[in-house]
Amino acid sequence: MTELDLVFHARRAVTAEGEIACTVGVAGGRIVAVEPFDADLSGGRVVELGRDAVLLPGLVDTHVHVNDPGRQEWEGFATATRAAAAGGITTIIDMPLNSLPPTVDPASLGTKRAAADGAVYVDVGFWGGAIPGKLDQLAGLHEAGVFGVKCFTVDSGVEEFPPLDGAGLAEAFRIAAELETPLLVHAEDHGEIEQAPAAQGDRYADFLRSRPAAAEDRAIARVVELAASTGARTHILHLASAGALGTIAEARRAGAPLTVETCPHYLSFTAEEIPDGATQFKCCPPIREAANRELLWRALAGGVIDSVVSDHSPCTAELKCFATGDFGKAWGGIASLQLGLPAVWTQARQRGFGLPDVVRWMAEGPARQVGLRHKGRIAPGLDADLCVFAPDEAFLVDATTLHHRNPVSAYHGRPLSGVVRGTWLRGVEVTGEQPHGDLLRRTKH
């Protein structure tokens, strides 16, 4: 056997074969052996996991707003990727908006890559953006290696990334189908939101009424129609409304090329528990009621929802308008990159799910969606992206101790289960001292 750089002895590991006791051997940044626990393997470094720890594949988070360059005071590549590693995430895909310029053409992608170069502690890939007046740039973005393109059907919250109207959306679907690149859609219907009461004041119930579930359901129905008629690989972002699940399930049964994600905050929080003025919980689409949350969990169990990703959308404390608690004026986004794994695990275990389920939703599923065949699982030949996780260790979230640039989190003060004790990227432990992440490009798949 090849001389090993690193060996893990794990009484519990979530591998491609399920949860087993095993010994994992690493050489040259790849997993080269998954052997029985008592296998006699030695290497340059041997890691003996305690009985309370589980070896997991590094997670893959395909929905992260790094905001760099241009809004580095919100977040940046160094802080975001350190936070990712601290949360067991070894690969992120950065969203095209909230940075300046947004990633809507090859030149802006080059600017984004230059900002990230040499500053990332985990591997980083990039989505492109589809906005009015720039659809002719999608082919160039695809050729430059983005993993797909994202669009909005409603105001994005930043003026430099406007939504597509009906004709623009149809054209984006046509181009995506022609390029054979995924189209990601933030699906809320502009008309439904225009007819709803405006968001203003500190009452969460009023904010919830301003972003009705009907807006999500109606937009998703249109997206599903376009996916079926064009054949474009389509991904529905941050599903919050359980009302759309029937439409999605029916379309998938009919063969529509459709994948769906949800987020830890939709699986963790409920509208009923959000205090008035608590703008740290504001996001779009919004966190909905407890009954809705349970239907999302049921859809995960049934495979209607494919993955769970953060939608890490941080900002400064000032932009959350804590002084007034005004949901209409506060920035909409939840910072959770470092906390996604324990947040999901805390809720999952209460519902009878195991760590293999969490790995399927947070590592295998996202890696498969973006075509990263060498990530998301523990198996020979794959990248040695690994995480040591103590599932029974509890902690109280203190936002001031997180690696995110700003100490703002909806999870602050919340008890969670599961602590990440170490993360390895291609066989090298991520300590936060020296960045050694790669900038990824799409490969044909």
Side-chain angles (χ1 to χ4, degrees):
M1 178 178 289
T2 304
E3 186 174 346
L4 301 176
D5 305 318
L6 178 64
V7 173
F8 289 89
H9 292 296
R11 291 174 177 83
R12 294 177 64 190
V14 178
T15 74
E17 285 73 46
E19 187 173 317
I20 61 173
C22 66
T23 294
V24 176
V26 175
R30 293 290 179 104
I31 298 167
V32 297
V34 180
E35 301 288 341
F37 178 73
D38 57 2
D40 185 19
L41 297 184
S42 60
R45 180 183 178 188
V46 177
V47 179
E48 298 277 356
L49 270 62
R51 294 182 180 275
D52 62 340
V54 185
L55 187 66
L56 305 180
L59 305 187
V60 177
D61 192 337
T62 56
H63 195 147
V64 179
H65 295 270
V66 177
N67 308 326
D68 193 1
R71 291 191 172 102
Q72 300 94 317
E73 69 275 17
W74 295 17
E75 194 64 278
F77 280 107
T79 51
T81 55
R82 271 197 296 259
I89 298 164
T90 50
T91 303
I92 67 170
I93 311 294
D94 174 62
M95 281 293 170
L97 71 156
N98 300 346
S99 57
L100 294 169
T103 315
V104 294
D105 52 36
S108 57
L109 175 62
T111 301
K112 177 70 70 84
R113 291 178 66 90
D117 190 30
V120 297
Y121 291 81
V122 301
D123 287 352
V124 177
F126 303 94
W127 297 113
I131 65 172
K134 288 284 190 176
L135 296 183
D136 62 345
Q137 299 296 309
L138 298 187
L141 282 167
H142 178 70
E143 186 64 27
V146 297
F147 284 81
V149 292
K150 175 183 181 176
C151 67
F152 279 73
T153 61
V154 69
D155 180 20
S156 73
V158 290
E159 63 181 359
E160 68 274 3
F161 203 98
L164 297 175
D165 61 14
L169 185 65
E171 178 66 2
F173 266 91
R174 184 195 67 76
I175 294 170
E178 185 177 278
L179 295 173
E180 298 184 346
T181 195
L183 182 64
L184 287 63
V185 187
H186 178 126
E188 289 181 281
D189 184 74
H190 173 76
E192 290 281 352
I193 291 174
E194 283 289 299
Q195 294 173 26
Q200 57 185 345
D202 66 354
R203 295 187 69 242
Y204 186 76
D206 291 342
F207 170 63
L208 191 59
R209 278 192 286 272
S210 77
R211 311 289 291 216
E216 222 179 326
D217 301 344
R218 183 174 177 180
I220 287 172
R222 177 58 178 152
V223 167
V224 165
E225 289 177 0
L226 288 166
S229 63
T230 64
R233 283 194 291 136
T234 306
H235 184 72
I236 294 173
L237 296 163
H238 44 50
L239 180 69
S241 171
L245 290 168
T247 299
I248 292 166
E250 183 179 351
R252 289 170 64 131
R253 283 194 297 270
L258 191 64
T259 53
V260 183
E261 68 181 42
T262 193
C263 305
H265 41 277
Y266 300 130
L267 300 172
S268 297
F269 304 117
T270 64
E272 294 91 337
E273 68 182 332
I274 297 176
D276 290 343
T279 53
Q280 65 268 33
F281 291 93
K282 180 182 176 179
C283 56
C284 299
I287 295 162
R288 304 195 187 278
E289 298 81 1
N292 182 88
R293 177 184 66 176
E294 297 314 307
L295 290 172
L296 294 178
W297 275 105
R298 190 180 303 174
L300 265 175
V304 179
I305 298 175
D306 303 273
S307 58
V308 181
V309 293
S310 68
D311 189 9
H312 177 67
S313 186
C315 67
T316 62
E318 180 184 13
L319 289 174
K320 277 296 187 181
C321 300
F322 289 130
T324 62
D326 190 331
F327 280 96
K329 295 180 179 177
W331 174 257
I334 290 180
S336 63
L337 189 58
Q338 188 171 334
L339 298 171
L341 175 55
V344 172
W345 171 238
T346 298
Q347 297 292 323
R349 70 188 310 186
Q350 295 173 11
R351 293 166 174 80
F353 297 106
L355 284 171
D357 299 305
V358 174
V359 166
R360 186 171 68 254
W361 302 328
M362 302 186 77
E364 290 182 36
R368 185 184 310 112
Q369 180 211 336
V370 295
L372 292 173
R373 297 176 179 173
H374 55 297
K375 293 185 181 291
R377 294 176 294 133
I378 296 177
L382 275 65
D383 283 358
D385 295 350
L386 301 162
C387 161
V388 174
F389 185 61
D392 299 322
E393 187 174 343
F395 69 103
L396 199 67
V397 177
D398 180 351
T400 66
T401 68
L402 301 176
H403 290 281
H404 306 158
R405 175 152 289 170
N406 293 286
V408 177
S409 175
Y411 293 91
H412 179 70
R414 192 173 183 90
L416 296 179
S417 296
V419 171
V420 174
R421 293 183 176 169
T423 301
W424 282 258
L425 177 66
R426 291 188 304 280
V428 177
E429 188 169 10
V430 183
T431 64
E433 296 175 3
Q434 184 66 37
H436 66 278
D438 283 347
L439 303 185
L440 305 177
R441 296 178 185 269
R442 169 195 53 83
T443 56
K444 292 182 179 180
H445 59 281

